[in-house]
């Protein structure tokens, strides 16, 4: 139930999420590794759910990633210094709150 609530809250269009590398970055850009959720879509061939999200820094590109990967835990073997539990975590409800 908790995991379902996390998924529903995290994947709402407009929600701002933080990638775990944000805490590891030395960037002075206050938007570095912050993303706005655009929505969830389906891969046209496989019907796999993909999360579409937009960078709030740099070129502000759109990205998509399989939902399972988007919601996954940080790989502690590869990134032992990471402070977030999940690859992406809730940051705030909307861009206007940043």
């Amino acid at each position: 139930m908790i995991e379902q609530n996390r998924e529903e809250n995290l994947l709402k269009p407009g929600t701002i999420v933080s990638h775990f590398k944000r805490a590891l970055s030395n960037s002075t850009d206050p938007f570095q590794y912050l993303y706005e959720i655009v929505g969830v879509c389906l891969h046209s061939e496989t019907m796999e759910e993909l999360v579409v999200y937009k960078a709030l820094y740099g070129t502000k590109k759109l990205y998509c990633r399989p939902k399972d990967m988007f919601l996954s835990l940080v790989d502690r073997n590869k990134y032992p210094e990471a402070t977030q539990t999940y690859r992406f975590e809730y940051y705030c409800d909307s861009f206007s709150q940043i």
Side-chain angles (χ1 to χ4, degrees):
M1 185 68 164
I2 292 171
E3 191 63 28
Q4 182 180 355
N5 286 342
R6 176 181 174 268
E7 181 178 327
E8 288 173 7
N9 290 331
L10 198 67
L11 300 181
K12 273 194 265 185
T15 299
I16 306 302
V17 297
S18 172
H19 189 275
F20 78 91
K21 288 183 180 176
R22 179 175 170 78
L24 307 177
S25 173
N26 293 327
S27 174
T28 58
D29 183 344
F31 299 106
Q32 187 72 29
Y33 290 111
L34 289 181
Y35 300 88
E36 181 178 10
I37 300 297
V38 175
V40 178
C41 67
L42 294 176
H43 188 291
S44 63
E45 300 286 325
T46 65
M47 294 300 159
E48 178 181 22
E49 288 186 297
L50 304 170
V51 178
V52 181
Y53 55 105
K54 178 183 175 185
L56 297 180
Y57 63 95
T59 59
K60 299 187 170 118
K61 290 183 179 180
L62 285 176
Y63 296 94
C64 68
R65 181 184 296 248
K67 187 169 88 169
D68 289 345
M69 183 187 287
F70 189 91
L71 297 171
S72 69
L73 296 168
V74 172
D75 181 345
R76 294 292 175 184
N77 293 322
K78 191 172 179 181
Y79 298 100
E81 69 282 6
T83 57
Q84 281 189 196
T85 301
Y86 295 96
R87 182 184 304 265
F88 290 93
E89 292 186 0
Y90 174 86
Y91 189 79
C92 65
D93 285 334
S94 69
F95 185 75
S96 65
Q97 294 181 333
I98 298 176

